[in-house]
Amino acid sequence: LLRIPRAKTKHEMYGTAVHAALRDLFVQAKERTVPKEFLLNAFRRYLGNEALAQNDFDESLARGRAALSGYYDRYHGDWQTNVITEFSIPGVLLAPDIRLTGRIDKLEFVGSGTEVNVVDYKTGKPKARRGLEEGNEKRQLVFYRVLLDHHEEGKYRMTSADIDFIQPDAKGRYHREHFVISPEEARELAALIMRVGGEILSLSFWDARCGRSECEFCALRDMMQHA
C-alpha cells in the first residue's frame, strides 16, 4: 500500500535472469529445436544486465548454469510448445474501485481450445507439496485463476496449474507439482480480496494488527503513529 522502494536482492536478480532466459527459450521453441547453449547464453546475458557485485555474479552464474543445464536435460523434448510466456494482465476489475493486475510465467494450451495450464516458475529450493499447499505458493495459483476468470470474460479458462522448480533438490532431481484449482477456491479468494480491498479504501484497517510480535509492517505502523 505504501509502496516503499527497495533495491532488488541478489536472489531476485537471479530469478529475473532465469525467468527471462526461459521466456526466450519457449518463444524460440515454438518455431524450431533450441539447443541448450541458447538457454545458457540467454541466462548469462540477462544476469549481466543486473547490478550484481562480481562475486555474486560469479556465484549466480555457476548456480544458474548448473540448474538450467539439468532442467533442459530433464524436460527437453517433453515440454509443451503451444504456449504464451510472460502473460501480462494489465488490469481486471472485481469492483469499480478494486483493480487487479498480474503476470503469469507461462500459459500452456490444453488441446485445441482456450483451456490452459498455468506454469509458475520457482528458482528457490524445491518444497514438499504440503508446504506449497500451506504457504503462499498455492494461494498464488488461486490468484491466477481469479485473474484469468475476470480477464476478457474468461477468454482463457484455467483448468490446472504447475509449480515448476528450476533448482534441483540435493539429489539432483527436478520437481514439478500439479494442482487443480476449483471455482470455489477462486470465489473464496476473490471475496477475501474484496473484503480487504474495502478495508484499505475505507482505512478501517489502519489500527489493525496481525498479532505477530516481530511483524515489520506493524512496527512501521506504530512508528508512524508516534512520529
Side-chain angles (χ1 to χ4, degrees):
L1 178 66
L2 297 178
R3 297 183 181 275
I4 299 173
R6 65 175 179 84
K8 289 166 65 176
T9 67
K10 71 174 183 178
H11 301 294
E12 290 170 333
M13 288 186 272
Y14 171 82
T16 297
V18 169
H19 279 68
L22 288 170
R23 177 198 63 210
D24 286 3
L25 170 70
F26 285 104
V27 167
Q28 293 297 317
K30 292 180 182 181
E31 306 295 335
R32 59 186 177 88
T33 301
V34 183
K36 184 195 295 186
E37 283 305 311
F38 175 92
L39 174 63
L40 301 182
N41 289 339
F43 169 67
R44 183 188 183 98
R45 182 172 70 256
Y46 287 115
L47 190 67
N49 292 337
E50 301 292 335
L52 284 164
Q54 187 61 50
N55 60 327
D56 289 334
F57 174 84
D58 294 341
E59 176 190 343
S60 298
L61 180 62
R63 175 189 172 199
R65 283 184 61 87
L68 289 170
S69 179
Y71 182 87
Y72 183 98
D73 292 341
R74 169 66 179 83
Y75 296 114
H76 176 58
D78 295 331
W79 53 50
Q80 167 68 268
T81 57
N82 185 15
V83 302
I84 299 176
T85 59
E86 297 290 330
F87 182 66
S88 181
I89 298 177
V92 297
L93 293 176
L94 289 188
D97 294 325
I98 298 179
R99 177 174 172 267
L100 305 180
T101 66
R103 177 177 293 175
I104 300 173
D105 292 337
K106 187 169 62 175
L107 300 181
E108 296 178 338
F109 286 90
V110 180
S112 58
T114 59
E115 295 182 350
V116 295
N117 177 63
V118 165
V119 178
D120 187 32
Y121 299 130
K122 298 297 181 187
T123 54
K125 293 180 180 179
K127 290 184 179 181
R129 186 178 185 90
R130 182 174 179 179
L132 298 173
E133 291 176 336
E134 294 176 350
N136 289 327
E137 292 87 356
K138 171 73 178 297
R139 176 174 281 188
Q140 187 174 5
L141 300 181
V142 180
F143 178 73
Y144 290 149
R145 169 142 192 176
V146 173
L147 279 177
L148 289 172
D149 284 351
H150 290 81
H151 173 66
E152 294 186 10
E153 299 181 349
K155 178 180 180 180
Y156 301 118
R157 189 165 74 87
M158 177 178 166
T159 59
S160 58
D162 292 334
I163 294 179
D164 194 4
F165 289 98
I166 310 304
Q167 195 75 20
D169 65 19
K171 296 182 179 180
R173 298 171 300 191
Y174 286 82
H175 296 262
R176 180 181 291 168
E177 293 291 341
H178 187 72
F179 295 87
V180 175
I181 308 301
S182 69
E184 292 76 18
E185 289 175 297
R187 284 195 292 268
E188 287 175 3
L189 182 58
L192 176 62
I193 293 170
M194 292 280 286
R195 178 178 64 79
V196 174
E199 291 173 357
I200 292 172
L201 291 169
S202 67
L203 296 182
S204 62
F205 78 99
W206 191 240
D207 292 317
R209 299 292 186 273
C210 73
R212 291 192 297 115
S213 60
E214 298 181 357
C215 175
E216 61 181 309
F217 301 108
C218 290
L220 175 62
R221 170 66 184 94
D222 290 338
M223 180 186 70
M224 295 174 64
Q225 185 175 19
H226 295 100

